[in-house]
């Protein structure tokens, strides 16, 4: 879908809810939401399950567990109770600052 901040495959009526929930999750190291930082690589809904692939800015990220727990909590609060949520931490392709939104780059002074 054009204009979607990350690849999405699933019912269109859930897309805005998923994006809003993920935009509510903040990477505490940069004080920006994970969508603007470019940490969300994609999401798909199939057979009653939401799969979300995310990365971190570094494999040494000290708050990765916190961010993943925050993602799960935000999605769990926003989505129907019968939709199972699975968040996967991936490292390919590696994150780069080019993944950041224009507003995040502006915030960082880039």
């Amino acid at each position: 879908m054009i204009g979607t901040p990350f690849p999405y495959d699933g019912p269109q009526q859930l897309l805005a809810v998923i994006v809003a929930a993920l935009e509510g999750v903040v990477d505490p190291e940069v004080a920006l939401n994970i969508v603007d930082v470019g940490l969300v690589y994609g999401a798909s809904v199939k057979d009653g399950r939401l799969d979300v692939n995310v990365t971190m800015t570094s494999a040494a990220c000290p708050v990765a567990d916190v961010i993943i727990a925050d993602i799960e909590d935000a999605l769990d609060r926003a989505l129907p109770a019968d939709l199972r949520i699975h968040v996967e931490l991936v490292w390919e392709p590696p994150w780069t600052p080019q993944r950041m939104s224009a507003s995040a780059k502006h915030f960082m002074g880039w």
Side-chain angles (χ1 to χ4, degrees):
M1 176 179 169
I2 295 173
T4 305
F6 48 81
Y8 174 74
D9 182 25
Q12 287 304 302
Q13 69 268 23
L14 290 180
L15 177 59
V17 176
I18 292 168
V19 171
L22 293 173
E23 287 177 335
V25 177
V26 173
D27 179 336
E29 290 191 304
V30 293
L32 292 167
N33 77 68
I34 63 170
V35 175
D36 282 340
V37 177
L39 300 183
V40 181
Y41 278 9
S44 66
V45 177
K46 185 177 179 185
D47 300 327
R49 175 173 151 156
L50 167 63
D51 288 289
V52 180
N53 288 340
V54 298
T55 195
M56 298 295 138
T57 57
S58 158
C61 178
V63 293
D65 291 341
V66 171
I67 293 172
I68 291 172
D70 289 350
I71 292 168
E72 291 169 343
D73 290 345
L75 292 169
D76 193 44
R77 284 190 308 272
L79 293 167
D82 61 340
L83 186 64
R84 297 182 322 275
I85 297 165
H86 177 255
V87 178
E88 176 132 0
L89 182 59
V90 298
W91 298 108
E92 293 296 327
W95 180 88
T96 67
Q98 287 74 31
R99 293 193 50 83
M100 296 173 75
S101 70
S103 62
K105 289 175 184 175
H106 178 73
F107 177 82
M108 299 295 286
W110 299 348

